[in-house]
Structure formats: C-alpha cells, structure tokens
Amino acid sequence: MKKTLLSLAFIMLMVTAFATPPNEKVLKIFQATFKSPEEVKWYDHADHFDVSFVQSGIRSNVRYDKDGSFMSSTRYYSEQQLPTNILTKLKNRYSDKKIFGVTEITSSEEINFYVKLEDDKNWTTLKINTNGHIQVYEKYKKA
C-alpha cells in the first residue's frame, strides 16, 4: 500500500512538473501565432518550452526558448497538406506507392518533409526539402 501511494504521488508530481504553462511572454506569442488550437499541452524544460496541440486537424509540436523565440516545430499530416510542387513530384516519381503520412520538421534554418510511402513489399521514408530534392531516408521490407 505504501509503495502504491508513493508511486501515485511520484506520478502526480511528474504530471504537474511537465504540464506547466509557460511564462506570459511565450504564451502571448503562441496565442498570436495560433488562433484556435485544441488539446493544448505545455511542457516546461530547463532551457525551453514545448507545446503540443491540434489545429485544423493537424497535430503539431512547437518548441520555444524561454524568451519566446521559435526554435523548431514538428507537424504530422496527410498528403493533402504537402506543398503542390512536392506532391506533384512524388505522384510522378512514386506513382506505384501510397503516401501513408507526412512529418514536417521546421527549424529556423530549414523545412524538411519526411514522407512515408507504402507498397505491397516495403515501407519507404523519403526526406524532401522545400526545393523538392528527394532522398531515401530509410527503407524496410514488410514482414
């Protein structure tokens, strides 16, 4: 019983430690950038804040430094949200594969799209930059 109570207390401490809202400056920048986010969860780290949320059906994670400057973001979505130049190139070059999902990673320097493709035999992840340069990032055979 004592171990259960200690475990429960530890879990509650961890939840409150990591689900802390950011300082006012960071919160104001977030609210100005994202007008109607849903399922917003903040995580306070030693040198930055992470926020996880959904907007327009797209799950996103954004990282801010303690002063509110953007550090990076990760967004998860389907092929319909890809830029047209990239989607067209993918459909042309990989017409025999289905686009399973997209992970977009943005930093202050660049944006990369990691597109997961599927066919009968393989899972393939492509890394694509904003110029449309495509490279195979990983490839796995299906079991």
Side-chain angles (χ1 to χ4, degrees):
M1 179 72 170
K2 189 175 184 180
K3 283 185 180 180
T4 304
L5 287 175
L6 279 173
S7 296
L8 185 59
F10 178 74
I11 290 170
M12 292 301 291
L13 178 64
M14 293 302 291
V15 168
T16 56
F18 291 111
T20 310
N23 61 48
E24 191 173 317
K25 185 176 183 180
V26 174
L27 191 57
K28 188 175 182 179
I29 291 168
F30 174 76
Q31 290 170 339
T33 306
F34 303 100
K35 296 298 180 194
S36 57
E38 299 173 344
E39 302 175 35
V40 178
K41 293 181 183 141
W42 285 95
Y43 302 93
D44 187 357
H45 301 278
D47 61 346
H48 67 274
F49 290 104
D50 287 327
V51 60
S52 173
F53 60 97
V54 176
Q55 185 167 0
S56 302
I58 297 175
R59 171 132 331 257
S60 301
N61 298 297
V62 177
R63 179 168 289 176
Y64 297 97
D65 69 16
K66 293 290 183 167
D67 292 326
S69 295
F70 171 84
M71 296 174 70
S72 64
S73 69
T74 305
R75 299 181 345 133
Y76 307 93
Y77 50 79
S78 64
E79 66 184 82
Q80 289 82 13
Q81 285 79 30
L82 275 169
T84 305
N85 67 320
I86 293 172
L87 183 58
T88 302
K89 189 176 265 191
L90 284 172
K91 293 294 185 175
N92 187 27
R93 189 179 291 182
Y94 297 96
S95 60
D96 59 330
K97 299 184 185 317
K98 176 186 171 200
I99 297 176
F100 185 78
V102 178
T103 302
E104 173 192 304
I105 300 178
T106 303
S107 69
S108 56
E109 296 86 34
E110 64 184 353
I111 300 172
N112 287 299
F113 304 91
Y114 293 84
V115 179
K116 182 72 74 178
L117 301 176
E118 176 185 20
D119 63 20
D120 292 339
K121 297 180 182 179
N122 298 297
W123 288 101
T124 305
T125 304
L126 304 175
K127 180 180 177 182
I128 309 165
N129 66 19
T130 52
N131 295 327
H133 174 73
I134 298 174
Q135 70 183 47
V136 175
Y137 184 73
E138 62 185 4
K139 187 172 184 174
Y140 299 103
K141 290 196 180 291
K142 288 185 173 180

